[in-house]
Amino acid sequence: MNIVSIPKSEELDIREKQLAPLGKKLRIFFQLSKYFLSSIQSRKTDYVSLLGIFLRLPQASVKEILGKNQSYVKKLDARRYRTQKSSFIGKYCKEFQCAREADYCDLVQRDQRSRILCSFHMGDYIYGCNYLASLEEGHRSKKVLSFGAAPESYFDNLAKAFGNSSIKRSAELLVEQTSVVDLTRLIRSEKTTLLMFCDLPAEYGETVTVPFLGRRARFSKGPAVVALASRTPLLPVVNFIDGQINCIEIRPLIEPNIKPGENFTQAVVRITAELVSTFEEIFKSYPEQWRYLTLLPDYFEAMTPEK
């Protein structure tokens, strides 16, 4: 039979004194935890309010859009980074719709100049832009300017979707290894279709300030600079999903001209503004389909709308 000894009152007093500092630390810990949780919740509320100001929507609508955006990005990345079955990805890409596809095919045949497909991280831009590229003539060089090397699964999926007309690993140009001079030489040396993006955050490159959602916002000037430097026309391309349909919107070519009275910098701003205007029109209807939606406040120079 085990006998449990009961501590004397003196021993209890000693133990209580020994545990007192620990109890104080625990109380402080729980108080700080409550503070930080409250602070995080407050920041989330402030962020949602801020997005609501830029989007001109109530907080409830912004929260719903953010939820849809999170789901959109997750599905987009899954189709890009995970190996897809040929039957699925082939059928998926054949169902893309481009209202002006006939005009694009006519442009491909009629205009033999190099051109820059200038797109945005909107809708299923990954397969949408590749869909257009697959319509190009076989002898034409196809290049994509990228900030990071795509995984092998990405090119495998493209091959399953578009066969021999798909973009290959050799078409990928990494920004850190490619200058404007390099791009200009490439475009001038052979008939090339170059894919570039105009909506990357400021940390990815130089920007110019243009109108967007009634305010002044910073967008990448790279496509306009390369177009003017190489005398290459730009074709604005925006992808979006309408219900269950992947849509590709293309606009008329933007010629790389410096207008009378303009200097090079002013021409860059004007062309970038024209590109962003095309994007803005579709973004307003489908804000949840922009990859960089959560970074939207960082694009603006100030809270004050333009007069």
Side-chain angles (χ1 to χ4, degrees):
M1 181 176 178
N2 294 327
I3 299 175
V4 179
S5 61
I6 300 175
K8 297 178 181 179
S9 59
E10 295 85 358
E11 293 176 344
L12 290 173
D13 290 341
I14 293 172
R15 290 185 186 180
E16 186 177 346
K17 290 178 181 179
Q18 290 174 338
L19 292 174
L22 178 60
K24 184 178 181 181
K25 290 179 181 179
L26 286 173
R27 285 195 299 273
I28 294 173
F29 171 77
F30 286 122
Q31 288 173 354
L32 287 174
S33 297
K34 288 175 65 178
Y35 169 77
F36 285 121
L37 286 173
S38 175
S39 179
I40 291 171
Q41 187 62 44
S42 176
R43 285 198 295 272
K44 284 183 178 179
T45 302
D46 291 344
Y47 172 72
V48 170
S49 299
L50 188 60
L51 273 182
I53 291 172
F54 291 129
L55 296 174
R56 299 180 181 180
L57 292 171
Q59 289 191 28
S61 298
V62 173
K63 289 178 180 178
E64 182 181 357
I65 288 171
L66 287 173
K68 290 180 179 179
N69 178 255
Q70 186 178 28
S71 176
Y72 150 76
V73 172
K74 185 177 180 179
K75 291 178 181 178
L76 186 77
D77 287 344
R79 284 192 294 268
R80 180 182 187 183
Y81 295 116
R82 296 178 188 172
T83 300
Q84 305 293 324
K85 291 183 178 180
S86 299
S87 56
F88 165 76
I89 201 65
K91 182 176 182 295
Y92 176 77
C93 291
K94 284 180 181 178
E95 293 176 349
F96 273 72
Q97 295 185 11
C98 178
R100 298 184 61 195
E101 184 171 332
D103 292 339
Y104 184 76
C105 291
D106 178 64
L107 173 68
V108 168
Q109 296 294 325
R110 176 174 44 81
D111 193 336
Q112 296 298 307
R113 295 177 296 172
S114 290
R115 57 182 158 268
I116 298 171
L117 298 185
C118 185
S119 194
F120 301 81
H121 292 80
M122 183 85 183
D124 195 337
Y125 58 89
I126 296 169
Y127 290 103
C129 291
N130 278 284
Y131 178 93
L132 280 185
S134 72
L135 301 176
E136 297 279 1
E137 296 172 326
H139 64 273
R140 192 179 184 91
S141 175
K142 304 172 189 176
K143 299 293 182 181
V144 180
L145 188 63
S146 176
F147 276 86
E152 202 58 44
S153 58
Y154 169 68
F155 294 102
D156 288 343
N157 290 335
L158 291 182
K160 292 173 183 176
F162 303 109
N164 293 331
S165 62
S166 67
I167 289 178
K168 311 296 191 296
R169 167 75 71 183
S170 57
E172 189 176 54
L173 303 173
L174 299 181
V175 170
E176 62 181 11
Q177 301 171 3
T178 312
S179 66
V180 172
V181 174
D182 294 331
L183 290 174
T184 300
R185 287 173 179 168
L186 171 67
I187 293 173
R188 286 180 172 176
S189 65
E190 57 182 331
K191 294 174 183 177
T192 302
T193 297
L194 172 65
L195 174 61
M196 298 182 71
F197 289 90
C198 190
D199 62 340
L200 288 162
E203 61 263 30
Y204 288 100
E206 295 184 15
T207 61
V208 291
T209 303
V210 297
F212 182 62
L213 299 179
R215 291 175 168 79
R216 305 294 293 173
R218 296 181 295 275
F219 279 85
S220 172
K221 70 178 187 179
V225 169
V226 174
L228 289 168
S230 61
R231 298 296 179 90
T232 304
L234 286 151
L235 185 71
V237 179
V238 184
N239 297 273
F240 62 98
I241 305 167
D242 186 11
Q244 299 297 317
I245 301 173
N246 282 294
C247 303
I248 306 170
E249 179 74 17
I250 61 175
R251 296 297 170 86
L253 282 176
I254 300 175
E255 293 295 337
N257 300 326
I258 298 177
K259 293 184 176 182
E262 276 187 337
N263 57 32
F264 186 88
T265 300
Q266 290 169 332
V268 167
V269 173
R270 172 179 53 79
I271 291 174
T272 303
E274 191 170 344
L275 292 168
V276 171
S277 176
T278 300
F279 165 62
E280 179 181 13
E281 182 181 328
I282 296 174
F283 170 79
K284 286 179 177 179
S285 298
Y286 307 94
E288 72 280 359
Q289 295 178 29
W290 187 35
R291 186 178 193 93
Y292 298 120
L293 174 65
T294 55
L295 301 179
L296 178 63
D298 296 337
Y299 281 75
F300 294 102
E301 285 194 332
M303 289 287 295
T304 308
E306 284 192 310
K307 294 182 179 179

